[in-house]
Amino acid sequence: MDKKTVRDVDVTGKRVFVRADLNVPLDDGRITDDTRIRASLPTIVYLLERGASVVLASHLGRPKGKVNDALRLKPVADRLSQLLGRPVRMTGDALGPGVQVAVDKLRPGDLLMLENLRFHAEEEANGEEFSKSLAGLADVYVDDAFGSAHRAHASTEGITHFLPSVAGLLMEREVDALSRLLERPPKPFHAIIGGAKVTGKLEVLEALLSRCQAILVGGGMANTFLAAKGHALGKSLVETDQIDNAQRIMSEARRKRVRFMVPTDVVIAPQIHYRAQTQVVGIDAVPKEMMVVDIGPHTITAYTDHLAKAKTVFWNGPMGVFEVKQFAEGTNAIARFLADQTAKGGITVVGGGDSVAAVEQLGVADRMTHVSTGGGASLEFLEGKTLPGIAALDDCQAAA
Ligand code: ADP
Ligand code: MG
């Protein structure tokens, strides 16, 4: 990548402000998936081993600028402390005299974690004073929060105006892996896109139309494409206001000679419930009172047969309501298939909150070429957008 990284700066004896994305899912105060914490370890360990003192900061959830006890970072600090095998001290706030005192006491190799940045409205508003105060805590800024890079917030963008700013190791890994999809990926390059809705995926679908040789759709969003083709889908999730867009995407695919595949059979159920009776039907046989909850076995075979021809595959969005076990077959089949495809030399990249969760749940995440920790950020990156958190970092060569 063309941005400086932690490896390009001397951090020994320096105070380093590390912005990580430790925004993990919580259930009643318990962390249900610690992927993002584990993914942040290499940079933290790298800095500590080199005698930097680290001020670690993140947001958690959406406290909207107010202190919210349910969104304190304490459980994250506890988990981090288990993973690092050392205590992780926390401040009671991201800012203020208490923070300054704690930071002043840091010795080389010490780690201090700030409280949730978003307890301050200035974080998301990218307030200059707030950015300056955060910058005042350190000599160097390291951005390892790829998952937050699509937001210009104080801790991802504002702070870079006041400190030398470099990428962390996770940021570098994400940018390198996703750039590979933008910069001459080995062809054929196929994308498999699912998830709930077309809304939010339109731009990535459009971007992929110019890069991929095939796009395969599944999940709830495929319903809108099927509806655009004239199929009746009962009670299924269909975005009637997106049918025009779905039609446009499909005709653009024809014009660009991109193969566009939709499900030919589906799993249906009367409702989304773990004890719901399921049935497999062709897409022309969805009864009025039923809804599509997964792709069917023929579709799984057709999709995996086609993906087997690809040298590069990008996957975003589950193929069904995978949170319910008997609706997860399509999603799991794609996950297992892609893991095998990697073993055969294919490049497989998975991005998106729920698709990544599915891959993690199945235990095949480390069998993919890359599993992105950034949901929205990875999609925006693939859309070719400039992510403010990345753009703001120091370039490799000083400007001539
Ligand atoms: P990602 O986070 O990977 O980008 P999305 O957030 O777009 O994926 O979509 C994930 C959600 O889509 C899941 O909660 C899943 O239950 C839902 N979903 C998938 N298929 C269907 C379907 N057929 N009907 C309703 N919801 C679906
Ligand atoms: Mg999601």
Side-chain angles (χ1 to χ4, degrees):
M1 83 176 213
D2 55 3
K3 293 295 181 179
K4 282 190 181 160
T5 75
V6 277
R7 279 188 264 94
D8 298 314
V9 283
D10 180 14
V11 296
T12 307
K14 300 263 173 65
R15 289 219 171 92
V16 181
F17 185 103
V18 177
R19 172 58 157 106
D21 186 341
L22 306 175
N23 183 31
V24 291
L26 289 175
D27 182 17
D28 211 7
R30 273 194 16 260
I31 296 167
T32 54
D33 178 5
D34 67 354
T35 307
R36 283 183 162 167
I37 305 177
R38 283 185 286 111
S40 302
L41 289 175
T43 298
I44 297 169
V45 170
Y46 177 96
L47 292 168
L48 295 175
E49 277 179 352
R50 276 159 189 78
S53 49
V54 172
V55 179
L56 179 64
S58 176
H59 74 283
L60 180 64
R62 298 172 184 272
K64 302 246 167 77
K66 289 202 194 76
V67 174
N68 177 339
D69 284 332
L71 294 176
R72 289 197 179 273
L73 278 165
K74 177 80 167 57
V76 174
D78 289 346
R79 181 74 190 116
L80 184 61
S81 149
Q82 280 173 352
L83 292 166
L84 288 171
R86 57 186 277 173
V88 174
R89 277 202 310 128
M90 274 205 66
T91 59
D93 193 353
L95 208 66
V99 175
Q100 194 58 57
V101 169
V103 168
D104 287 343
K105 282 190 197 148
L106 290 176
R107 297 265 153 270
D110 282 352
L111 171 64
L112 177 71
M113 190 161 153
L114 304 185
E115 185 52 277
N116 195 341
L117 292 162
R118 289 194 189 166
F119 286 175
H120 294 266
E122 299 93 318
E123 161 65 359
E124 289 183 81
N126 198 2
E128 180 165 344
E129 278 311 307
F130 188 64
S131 302
K132 214 186 254 180
S133 308
L134 294 178
L137 302 175
D139 309 305
V140 178
Y141 168 70
V142 172
D143 190 358
D144 215 21
F146 177 73
S148 309
H150 57 320
R151 305 280 180 244
H153 293 167
S155 69
T156 62
E157 199 277 338
I159 190 171
T160 67
H161 298 280
F162 306 104
L163 286 178
S165 302
V166 302
L169 301 171
L170 173 63
M171 178 69 93
E172 181 187 35
R173 194 154 62 81
E174 291 275 9
V175 170
D176 285 347
L178 296 171
S179 298
R180 215 166 149 194
L181 299 183
L182 295 179
E183 293 156 14
R184 278 184 264 131
K187 284 183 186 175
F189 173 21
H190 294 172
I192 174 157
I193 308 291
K197 293 180 172 182
V198 174
T199 308
K201 305 266 163 113
L202 262 184
E203 283 167 302
V204 79
L205 283 169
E206 266 158 20
L208 291 168
L209 275 175
S210 329
R211 302 187 183 278
C212 295
Q213 285 69 60
I215 296 179
L216 290 59
V217 294
M221 67 111 89
N223 296 341
T224 302
F225 287 94
L226 291 169
K229 283 170 160 287
H231 300 285
L233 295 162
K235 292 199 296 186
S236 303
L237 170 70
V238 173
E239 290 165 282
T240 40
D241 59 336
Q242 293 297 327
I243 288 181
D244 287 351
N245 281 327
Q247 252 148 5
R248 186 170 48 78
I249 296 274
M250 288 189 288
S251 51
E252 220 168 299
R254 272 193 298 279
R255 199 167 50 76
K256 293 191 157 134
R257 295 176 195 287
V258 174
R259 175 99 185 253
F260 198 90
M261 295 176 78
V262 296
T264 52
D265 64 341
V266 287
V267 178
I268 55 170
Q271 79 259 61
I272 293 176
H273 189 270
Y274 74 102
R275 281 208 301 251
Q277 283 279 336
T278 62
Q279 218 181 309
V280 174
V281 296
I283 43 160
D284 280 322
V286 180
K288 258 218 274 311
E289 68 289 357
M290 299 287 260
M291 57 173 89
V292 174
V293 292
D294 198 4
I295 55 173
H298 282 107
T299 305
I300 293 175
T301 307
Y303 280 17
T304 52
D305 282 355
H306 200 70
L307 291 174
K309 299 176 197 155
K311 290 210 170 89
T312 309
V313 179
F314 173 66
W315 179 26
N316 165 264
M319 296 290 104
V321 185
F322 76 107
E323 295 92 337
V324 178
K325 210 172 155 210
Q326 77 257 46
F327 308 158
E329 204 37 60
T331 302
N332 291 347
I334 296 297
R336 281 192 211 99
F337 169 81
L338 289 181
D340 292 342
Q341 186 76 356
T342 324
K344 289 180 190 155
I347 298 174
T348 54
V349 179
V350 187
D354 294 286
S355 12
V356 169
V359 162
E360 294 278 351
Q361 252 173 46
L362 210 60
V364 294
D366 51 11
R367 294 179 57 205
M368 306 292 177
T369 308
H370 183 69
V371 175
S372 180
T373 54
S378 55
L379 293 187
E380 288 198 22
F381 193 95
L382 288 182
E383 286 161 22
K385 287 197 184 133
T386 302
L387 307 193
I390 300 172
L393 301 177
D394 298 346
D395 292 320
C396 270
Q397 292 100 354

